[in-house]
Every structure is written in structure tokens, then in C-alpha cells.
Amino acid sequence: MAKIFQVTARAGMTRVVEPVARGLLRAGVSPNVVTVAGTVGVLVGALGLGARGELVAGALIVTVFALTDLLDGTMARMSGGSTRFGAFLDSSMDRIADSAVFGAVAYWLATEGDHSGVAAALLCLAAGGLVSYVKARAEGLGMTCDVGIAERTERLLIVGVGGLLTGLGVDWALEVALWLLAAVSLFTVGQRMVHVYRQAQRVGQE
């Protein structure tokens, strides 16, 4: 099944990102520095703004810095491929950033007395971690798991749009986005488990 953020859109973004990536590499900036800087930016947007209810500014900052995932990946490819530590760092920083985003959302919704929204945010946090874990575990066992309707970019875009619309006055948008995100995240977990199961079955038949 196609991802929400289609491959063509990703390719278009990559064409925009490539000149920036080249410029940073020429300036001596490493992909790892960009990875850490992107995470710091997400933390500022989520914890410094989103958790205080400044949803428009928080959503915009989180979205901009979350897209550094494309930038550091492009830089790594241009410089000869990601190192093992670079891949480890990128994955670790992603988990930190995701925890900050959904933790901040849950905190703000709790201060607003929105218990349903808090439940959705916590479910998104748990499901997002599970999406990543299933892929990492499968790859650790020598299988592929690059499938799913909603990977990290899609998940952050959904919550970002919800936060932005709520900040602009559409009060129900964030909660709807969170429940939608929880659903597609759990569906993605199911997709990945089925994908790995089928691979395991084929291996068992050989």
C-alpha cells in the first residue's frame, strides 16, 4: 500500500534539499551535526512552545526541523553513505524528538482538561514507538520491513497539521488528527507484522 506522503512528493522535496545538503557539506558540516540540530529544533518547538499552547509557532517549528530527516539522509548519501554510528544516532534522535512532540501535546491537552485527547496522544506515542521497534527488530533478524502507510514523516505531518489548525481556531482539529494518527500507526504496525510473517514463512519453506 502506498504511503500517505507519496514517493513523488519525497522525490520533489529531495530535489529542493540537495542544494542545501551540498552547501553544508562544502562548509564542513557533517550529517550527524544536522541530525542533532534537527532534534534540538523539534525539542524547542514541542517543549518550548507546543506544551505552552503556542500551537501555530510550535507546529511550524517542529515541521521545519522534522524535515531535516531528509537533509541529513541526503548529506549522508552524497558523502558516501551513512555510517553505523550515523544510523544509530539518527534513529535515537528520532525517538527523542517523537517523545517530545507527543509528550508536549499530551501535557497541553491535560492542562486543557481534554482527557480524550490525552488518551489519543499517549496512544500515538506508544504506537509510534512500536512502529519503529517492529522495523528494527525485523531488520535485526535479517528481514526487510520498509512498508507501512504511515512512517515517521507522515506521522509528524498529521499531528503538525492538527496542531496548526487548532492554533488557528479549529478546536477539534488536533484531537481528530491524533485519533487518525493512532489508527494509521496501529494499521502500520499490522502491515509490518504481516510483511515479516510472510517473509518468515517463505524462509521456512526453502
Side-chain angles (χ1 to χ4, degrees):
M1 184 178 292
K3 296 177 177 62
I4 295 172
F5 190 28
Q6 298 291 339
V7 173
T8 51
R10 290 176 184 268
M13 285 295 298
T14 299
R15 284 194 292 271
V16 173
V17 164
E18 282 182 350
V20 179
R22 286 195 197 91
L24 289 172
L25 288 171
R26 281 197 296 267
V29 178
S30 74
N32 290 346
V33 169
V34 173
T35 298
V36 173
T39 302
V40 171
V42 170
L43 292 177
V44 170
L47 301 178
L49 297 171
R52 299 192 308 178
E54 298 180 31
L55 300 183
V56 174
L60 290 174
I61 290 174
V62 167
T63 300
V64 168
F65 280 97
L67 290 175
T68 57
D69 253 4
L70 293 174
L71 181 58
D72 59 12
T74 302
M75 291 172 67
R77 176 174 54 81
M78 289 180 169
S79 58
S82 176
T83 63
R84 288 186 177 183
F85 176 74
F88 167 80
L89 179 67
D90 184 62
S91 180
S92 299
M93 292 297 102
D94 284 352
R95 303 291 78 73
I96 292 171
D98 291 355
S99 298
V101 168
F102 291 104
V105 169
Y107 173 82
W108 178 73
L109 289 170
T111 65
E112 296 292 303
D114 186 348
H115 302 300
S116 175
V118 171
L122 294 177
L123 183 55
C124 287
L125 178 58
L130 189 55
V131 167
S132 301
Y133 172 79
V134 169
K135 180 177 181 178
R137 183 60 176 152
E139 291 176 345
L141 294 171
M143 292 180 278
T144 63
C145 197
D146 190 21
V147 298
I149 190 173
E151 294 190 354
R152 182 172 184 262
T153 301
E154 285 82 0
R155 297 197 302 273
L156 289 179
L157 285 175
I158 289 172
V159 72
V161 169
L164 182 62
L165 290 175
T166 295
L168 292 174
V170 186
D171 294 338
W172 48 264
L174 180 56
E175 186 172 344
V176 169
L178 288 170
W179 282 113
L180 172 62
L181 179 55
V184 297
S185 296
L186 291 172
F187 185 76
T188 298
V189 171
Q191 282 183 296
R192 290 186 169 184
M193 293 185 74
V194 169
H195 182 72
V196 172
Y197 173 76
R198 288 173 176 168
Q199 288 180 81
Q201 289 293 98
R202 287 197 296 270
V203 171
Q205 293 171 358
E206 291 177 356

